[in-house]
Amino acid sequence: MAAAQGRLSDGAGGMDDSKEGERDAGDAAPLPFRAAVEALRAARPRPEIEIDPTRPPQRLAPYAYALEAAVVQDDEDLADGRLVLLHDPAGHDAWQGSFRLVTLVRAELEPEMAADPLLPEVCWSWLTGALQARGLSYGEPSGTVTRASSHYFGGLAERPSASQIEIRASWTPREGLGGVPDTSAHLAAWCDLLCHVAGLPPAGPGDASVVTLPQRRGPQSR
């Protein structure tokens, strides 16, 4: 995946990252984790979303699997993000379960949208609303919504001001049959969030009343 590869990684090369993720989800992992990962691998997002495995964090849980994604339309990156599946067979008090999903989603904004005082609350509601719209049961949600603006001076003064929104969040997917959460549906909800942030309309039947960010004017730097 050319669009998102390397932007959210922690320094290792793309091929090595993918192989590292494959090893973490290999035969030595518990069956519930392997089943949850297989559901992520088998998922097929809408065509605007490019998605690939990447290197997962190594110290957050005994087992981890990670994906990177970008929303690409007309060769322009509209949003990108990372989704990490964590698993601790012994359970985790803070998670209130043995699985945890962690995400980072970000996109550039139009200046007038970035100035909206309700923007953080709206962006957080996109995450919870996407999970609820898919009928997903989850617990212990937490996260932050950050907006930042860059203004250029001196030799860079000709560049227009730029604003960015960043959503960092985590939640516990409720486990189903065999102790396996429906990670495919959680991935679909996460892709819905990416598309909301990117300013794309709903892909099909669903809540067409959801307000999305206006699409940016001009290319996003890679």
Side-chain angles (χ1 to χ4, degrees):
M1 177 183 65
Q5 194 76 339
R7 283 199 312 253
L8 298 174
S9 65
D10 53 4
M15 290 298 294
D16 290 342
D17 290 352
S18 297
K19 290 178 181 177
E20 186 73 34
E22 297 295 324
R23 285 197 296 271
D24 285 349
D27 292 340
L31 181 59
F33 178 71
R34 284 154 46 197
V37 169
E38 186 57 36
L40 291 175
R41 290 174 177 159
R44 295 293 179 266
R46 58 189 286 183
E48 296 93 340
I49 299 178
E50 297 182 0
I51 192 166
D52 270 324
T54 189
R55 184 178 181 178
Q58 300 298 301
R59 293 179 292 275
L60 296 181
Y63 302 95
Y65 184 78
L67 297 168
E68 274 188 342
V71 180
V72 182
Q73 192 173 60
D74 299 326
D75 294 324
E76 181 183 353
D77 290 8
L78 302 178
D80 57 49
R82 171 181 285 188
L83 183 68
V84 180
L85 175 68
L86 303 176
H87 179 54
D88 186 341
H92 196 293
D93 290 341
W95 303 351
Q96 293 296 299
S98 64
F99 284 90
R100 188 75 171 171
L101 285 163
V102 182
T103 186
L104 162 66
V105 171
R106 63 187 184 184
E108 290 189 9
L109 301 174
E110 297 293 348
E112 58 271 20
M113 177 62 71
D116 187 341
L118 296 179
L119 181 65
E121 288 79 5
V122 170
C123 288
W124 183 256
S125 74
W126 287 339
L127 170 61
T128 58
L131 294 169
Q132 292 165 5
R134 296 269 176 182
L136 293 169
S137 179
Y138 66 96
E140 309 305 318
S142 64
T144 62
V145 177
T146 304
R147 52 185 163 186
S149 297
S150 299
H151 303 269
Y152 301 94
F153 302 93
L156 301 176
E158 293 184 358
R159 292 188 183 183
S161 298
S163 299
Q164 187 180 73
I165 192 73
E166 180 180 275
I167 304 170
R168 293 179 180 267
S170 63
W171 65 96
T172 298
R174 296 307 184 202
E175 299 164 15
L177 186 65
V180 182
D182 189 353
T183 50
S184 177
H186 281 271
L187 176 60
W190 182 70
C191 288
D192 293 342
L193 170 64
L194 271 174
C195 291
H196 289 333
V197 173
L200 298 186
D207 186 6
S209 67
V210 172
V211 178
T212 56
L213 290 180
Q215 292 191 29
R216 296 177 294 101
R217 294 187 296 269
Q220 177 175 333
S221 59
R222 298 189 178 186

